[in-house]
Amino acid sequence: MRNVLVPTDFSPASFDLAEKAIHTMGEQVLNITMFHAFQMPFFVNDLIRKQRQPYHDLLTDAFRNNCKQLKQQYPKQVNSIVFKHLYGNTPAVFRNFVDANDIDLIVYPDQYDFRQVHPDSVNPDLMFKKSRVPLLRQFKSKRRIVTLPEITAVEEEAIALLKLLNATS
């Protein structure tokens, strides 16, 4: 069982990353951690004034439903899917997070584009690169499985087209 970390900006694109990782990993069973980092509050007043967590408004019902849907869509490959956040922006803090959550692999494609969804959001680029955890940078392309009825339908269309061409000549 692999523990895979997927960065999230709480959008459907994050779930596309998770789905591509599932396809790339094949038949391996995965524990998926949807991850977002936030800046550590700098002043004590910030801790006292802010009663709500920064992710409170970001964890919507749509996000939760996407998590459930992904688990239901791939019951054999996805053992669990959870959201975890981190307060901090240093590689050392992230390394502690990785060790505590036993992360084996980070989904971080070459074309990943960080989107700041909260004023305290942190770009995880430096943390990911310095973590010494393998990065999944490229995905396998999806293979389309052609079924026998589709092949038969194409053959029938080709035969009908040939008959039509022979009848007109």
Side-chain angles (χ1 to χ4, degrees):
M1 190 169 320
R2 305 277 311 253
N3 297 320
V4 178
L5 184 136
V6 178
T8 185
D9 58 3
F10 304 93
S11 72
S14 304
F15 293 98
D16 290 343
L17 280 179
E19 191 170 1
K20 288 177 183 176
I22 292 167
H23 289 289
T24 300
M25 300 304 288
E27 296 300 318
Q28 291 188 43
V29 179
L30 306 175
N31 291 322
I32 299 173
T33 301
M34 302 299 283
F35 171 81
H36 195 84
F38 295 99
Q39 188 68 32
M40 188 69 134
F42 190 70
F43 297 106
V44 175
N45 290 342
D46 291 340
L47 290 172
I48 295 170
R49 251 184 293 147
K50 289 185 181 177
Q51 297 297 321
R52 295 176 86 161
Q53 302 294 338
Y55 56 84
H56 185 269
D57 295 328
L58 299 171
L59 282 174
T60 62
D61 287 337
F63 182 85
R64 289 182 181 95
N65 289 336
N66 282 340
C67 288
K68 288 178 188 174
Q69 183 181 10
L70 197 61
K71 184 163 173 35
Q72 290 171 352
Q73 190 174 354
Y74 301 99
K76 292 181 181 176
Q77 292 103 332
V78 179
N79 182 51
S80 70
I81 182 166
V82 297
F83 167 75
K84 293 195 178 182
H85 67 283
L86 171 71
Y87 286 109
N89 61 356
T90 65
V93 170
F94 182 69
R95 186 68 201 167
N96 289 336
F97 176 88
V98 165
D99 289 343
N101 292 286
D102 199 27
I103 301 296
D104 302 315
L105 182 70
I106 299 171
V107 177
Y108 192 59
D110 294 327
Q111 70 276 9
Y112 179 75
D113 185 31
F114 171 73
R115 207 181 88 187
Q116 187 172 4
V117 293
H118 188 274
D120 293 337
S121 291
V122 172
N123 189 341
D125 182 60
L126 184 63
M127 294 187 296
F128 288 175
K129 289 178 180 174
K130 290 193 172 192
S131 69
R132 297 188 308 263
V133 175
L135 302 175
L136 180 59
R137 303 291 257 165
Q138 297 179 346
F139 303 111
K140 287 184 194 173
S141 60
K142 272 189 176 179
R143 292 183 186 162
R144 183 170 178 265
I145 299 173
V146 180
T147 61
L148 189 57
E150 289 177 308
I151 293 172
T152 306
V154 170
E155 287 176 347
E156 289 171 357
E157 286 178 25
I159 291 170
L161 187 59
L162 285 173
K163 286 181 181 176
L164 183 64
L165 288 174
N166 287 337
T168 57
S169 30

